[in-house]
Amino acid sequence: MKSMGICPDVVVYSSLLYGLCFIGNLEEAKGLFIEMLDQGVQPNAVEKLEEANGLLDLMIQRGVDPDIFTYNTLMDGCCLSGKLDIARNLFVSMQTKENGHDVVSYNIMINGYCKYLEVNKVTSLYREMISKGNKPTVITYNTLLSGFFRAGKVEEARELLGKMQLDNIAPDSCTYNILVDGFCKNGCLRGIRTVSQVRKLQV
């Protein structure tokens, strides 16, 4: 189809995925699922979740060990559709795998909980990832900062910024936007001075 200049849509991809899973060609199904996402073909969250969960179940039944990318993709789909309990179960089940979680796994779960203002769970995950040797990235800190500000936890956000500096994680443009927006929306205009001080340190 691509050779003819025709780009498959979600209906075509879904049909192909179903067919490949049905005949047991799981490796090709997995590759097709990844290709679908890479091509920017975004099924709605429910379709994506059902397809991915079905693929994971079939892989396990056939003795194919899902890799960390498969789990992360599934967790992301669960978080997008608001199924945080399922995402958490997948996250926990990864602990039994040889390589366990990576920083992307934690970022996905942190982002999911931040969207629903689950601050205690977010903080717990942040501490856990550090204790397990997964170093937070600028994406981790941006997600946490955004979540804290949305929950009105200004002091927690300020403390987190300090930890970010201690970890030698350089803020990016997104970080500064989050800080300015967060301090302003929470009525903490003196926090703008903090942003200015951080920018000067990065120069």
Side-chain angles (χ1 to χ4, degrees):
M1 293 179 68
K2 289 183 180 179
S3 63
M4 298 171 62
I6 300 173
C7 296
D9 59 12
V10 63
V11 176
V12 173
Y13 273 115
S14 296
S15 298
L16 290 171
L17 280 169
Y18 177 82
L20 289 170
C21 290
F22 184 77
I23 64 175
N25 196 338
L26 302 179
E27 282 301 319
E28 191 169 345
K30 176 185 169 185
L32 185 67
F33 184 71
I34 293 171
E35 177 190 311
M36 178 176 68
L37 299 180
D38 287 342
Q39 292 297 318
V41 179
Q42 295 291 335
N44 65 52
V46 174
E47 286 175 337
K48 179 179 177 181
L49 194 54
E50 289 176 349
E51 289 168 2
N53 272 325
L55 179 57
L56 180 67
D57 291 341
L58 275 170
M59 290 176 73
I60 294 173
Q61 289 172 17
R62 300 296 178 93
V64 179
D65 191 26
D67 60 17
I68 196 166
F69 181 87
T70 304
Y71 274 103
N72 286 345
T73 302
L74 266 172
M75 287 192 301
D76 193 37
C78 290
C79 289
L80 285 172
S81 60
K83 299 183 182 297
L84 293 181
D85 289 341
I86 298 176
R88 180 66 187 180
N89 289 338
L90 287 166
F91 184 81
V92 171
S93 68
M94 290 175 70
Q95 294 176 349
T96 62
K97 303 300 176 183
E98 183 178 351
N99 296 321
H101 309 113
D102 63 4
V103 67
V104 176
S105 311
Y106 281 101
N107 285 348
I108 288 169
M109 290 304 302
I110 287 172
N111 185 52
Y113 283 128
C114 277
K115 286 181 177 178
Y116 292 91
L117 306 183
E118 298 274 5
V119 176
N120 290 335
K121 291 180 180 178
V122 165
T123 303
S124 177
L125 276 172
Y126 169 70
R127 291 172 179 165
E128 179 185 313
M129 74 182 294
I130 293 175
S131 68
K132 295 287 181 65
N134 288 280
K135 186 177 180 180
T137 64
V138 67
I139 294 174
T140 310
Y141 281 108
N142 286 348
T143 305
L144 288 165
L145 286 168
S146 180
F148 283 146
F149 279 127
R150 287 181 61 229
K153 304 290 185 179
V154 177
E155 285 308 310
E156 285 83 347
R158 196 190 297 274
E159 290 175 11
L160 188 70
L161 181 61
K163 292 177 182 177
M164 185 178 183
Q165 292 174 292
L166 289 175
D167 280 346
N168 292 317
I169 303 296
D172 59 12
S173 59
C174 185
T175 312
Y176 293 120
N177 288 337
I178 291 169
L179 290 171
V180 172
D181 183 69
F183 283 128
C184 287
K185 285 185 176 177
N186 283 279
C188 185
L189 298 182
R190 63 188 176 89
I192 304 301
R193 289 199 298 271
T194 301
V195 179
S196 298
Q197 291 168 357
V198 172
R199 289 191 70 105
K200 289 179 181 177
L201 290 174
Q202 299 302 314
V203 175

